[in-house]
């Protein structure tokens, strides 16, 4: 009984002491800043944009709500290096989905995203 109470108290304390990560204020910041640069994007009207960043070795994708920021519409970000499993982040997020990243120097990648019922997925491209 004492062990169970101690374990419960430790879990509650860790939950109270930990705080959520700060949300990024730009897509660039969400992908880690640094040497990242936008190499492609896809717009969903005035509601959101999916950005593809590259830093020389890693691709990063973020779907950023623009005119729709703050609503709870479904958003998704996806990226896949050729020959590897894809990475996806999706949900009813208020500001953005992602970042999703793949290490892919010299490889073709597929990338994309969604906003509400609109979606985009590229063919494998940006090779090398």
């Amino acid at each position: 009984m004492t062990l169970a109470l101690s374990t419960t108290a430790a879990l509650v304390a860790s939950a109270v002491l930990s705080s959520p990560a700060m949300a990024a204020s730009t897509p660039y910041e969400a992908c880690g800043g640094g040497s990242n640069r936008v190499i492609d994007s896809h717009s969903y009207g005035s509601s959101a944009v999916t950005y593809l960043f590259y830093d020389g070795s890693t691709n990063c994708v973020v779907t950023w709500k623009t005119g729709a920021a703050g609503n709870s519409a479904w958003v998704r970000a996806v990226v896949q290096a050729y020959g590897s499993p894809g990475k996806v982040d999706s949900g009813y997020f208020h500001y953005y989905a992602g970042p999703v990243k793949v290490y892919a120097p010299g490889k073709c990648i597929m990338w994309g995203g969604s906003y509400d019922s609109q979606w985009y997925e590229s063919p494998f491209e940006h090779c090398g």
Side-chain angles (χ1 to χ4, degrees):
M1 174 96 175
T2 303
L3 180 58
L5 289 176
S6 296
T7 302
T8 301
L11 289 173
V12 169
S14 68
V16 169
L17 295 175
S18 64
S19 62
M22 291 296 294
S25 59
T26 66
Y28 173 75
E29 188 180 287
C31 277
S35 60
N36 272 308
R37 61 186 170 83
V38 174
I39 61 170
D40 215 334
S41 64
H42 181 82
S43 175
Y44 309 96
S46 62
S47 299
V49 178
T50 297
Y51 293 97
L52 172 62
F53 289 86
Y54 188 62
D55 70 2
S57 62
T58 301
N59 292 94
C60 178
V61 176
V62 174
T63 298
W64 196 266
K65 290 184 178 181
T66 51
N71 74 15
S72 61
W74 189 76
V75 287
R76 178 177 68 109
V78 60
V79 66
Q80 178 182 1
Y82 188 79
S84 300
K87 301 208 176 156
V88 178
D89 184 39
S90 62
Y92 290 94
F93 304 127
H94 290 285
Y95 298 100
Y96 61 93
V100 288
K101 299 178 180 184
V102 293
Y103 180 75
K107 292 185 178 180
C108 299
I109 57 129
M110 182 280 298
W111 65 280
S114 303
Y115 171 79
D116 201 19
S117 63
Q118 303 170 66
W119 65 276
Y120 171 77
E121 286 185 4
S122 76
F124 280 97
E125 61 183 9
H126 297 291
C127 308

